[in-house]
Amino acid sequence: MLASSLAQRLADHVQHLLGSGPFPQPGGWTHMGAVICDVSFQPRCNYERTLRPRLLRLQLSWPDARTVRGFQRQLATRDLAVAMEFNHAQKVATAHAITDLLAAHGVDTRDDLHTWLGHQANRAVLRTVKGVGPKSIDYIGNLVGRSHVAVDVHLRAFAVDAGLPNLPYDQLRAVYEEAAAILGHDKSGLEHAVWRHRSEAA
């Protein structure tokens, strides 16, 4: 089946279940500690019940972690697992590694990261961090105001319901992007609408 026909099938499914929108972009964060912890801790985690409240508390308790360097200073003396109330060694290690990588590349603010992710070479560098895959790269972009489709289990399930075959990550992301163009929606706005629909039904 051609990619364009898959995109039309997905677009029809979106209209049938979600209507015509509009679908606003997800807000993301301006606090870089929250951005880094969001992308590090969210895999296989109930976002609304488990992660989002912890991210909101982190912003209040570590206000100087608004920048990457400020977050790095906090990590040097304080236990992130305790601050996040989330005892998962690998996720904590991922947050530390992302922080150190961004700091080493001079990325300090939300605007810095937004610009930095616009270069494919930088996206590839970020992929070298253990625990960071293609979905994480697209997801962190959305957290700082870029517009991507981060394909997770919810978006895959929605595509299956639409009658799409099981596609590799890049191909399914491209189908979602084309469906967004067909419908005249922002890519990340459509992604977030589908995510909310599936996660609330789960």
Side-chain angles (χ1 to χ4, degrees):
M1 192 177 295
L2 295 174
S4 57
S5 61
L6 293 177
Q8 186 63 61
R9 179 175 291 187
L10 184 62
D12 292 344
H13 194 57
V14 168
Q15 281 201 305
H16 176 68
L17 289 181
L18 305 181
S20 300
F23 304 131
Q25 283 186 284
W29 308 103
T30 57
H31 185 283
M32 289 303 295
V35 169
I36 292 166
C37 287
D38 194 329
V39 74
S40 301
F41 285 86
Q42 57 81 28
R44 295 172 295 282
C45 173
N46 184 292
Y47 190 85
E48 292 296 335
R49 287 202 304 267
T50 303
L51 186 55
R52 182 174 172 80
R54 286 167 167 79
L55 295 170
L56 293 171
R57 286 198 298 270
L58 183 74
Q59 292 182 94
L60 293 174
S61 59
W62 290 15
D64 56 341
R66 184 179 185 87
T67 64
V68 172
R69 284 180 292 181
F71 188 50
Q72 192 177 42
R73 286 193 295 270
Q74 288 283 1
L75 293 178
T77 59
R78 300 177 70 176
D79 189 335
L80 183 60
V82 173
M84 286 290 291
E85 299 178 29
F86 209 125
N87 190 22
H88 192 295
Q90 181 53 59
K91 293 184 179 188
V92 170
T94 298
H96 277 263
I98 291 173
T99 302
D100 291 343
L101 185 147
L102 294 179
H105 283 80
V107 176
D108 199 38
T109 66
R110 174 189 168 107
D111 287 345
D112 290 343
L113 183 53
H114 183 284
T115 301
W116 190 78
L117 287 170
H119 301 278
Q120 195 62 38
N122 294 335
R123 292 164 64 90
V125 167
L126 195 52
R127 283 284 306 275
T128 65
V129 174
K130 184 177 181 180
V132 174
K135 182 253 180 179
S136 298
I137 300 294
D138 290 324
Y139 183 68
I140 199 170
N142 285 343
L143 293 176
V144 295
R146 300 188 68 84
S147 183
H148 299 296
V149 174
V151 177
D152 68 352
V153 293
H154 295 307
L155 270 74
R156 283 198 173 277
F158 189 88
V160 168
D161 288 348
L164 273 65
N166 185 25
L167 299 172
Y169 182 92
D170 289 348
Q171 291 181 30
L172 185 54
R173 178 181 60 191
V175 170
Y176 266 100
E177 290 172 346
E178 187 173 346
I182 289 169
L183 295 169
H185 295 312
D186 174 80
K187 291 179 289 189
S188 65
L190 175 63
E191 177 236 82
H192 193 60
V194 171
W195 179 85
R196 290 197 70 87
H197 171 77
R198 289 294 308 189
S199 61
E200 289 169 0

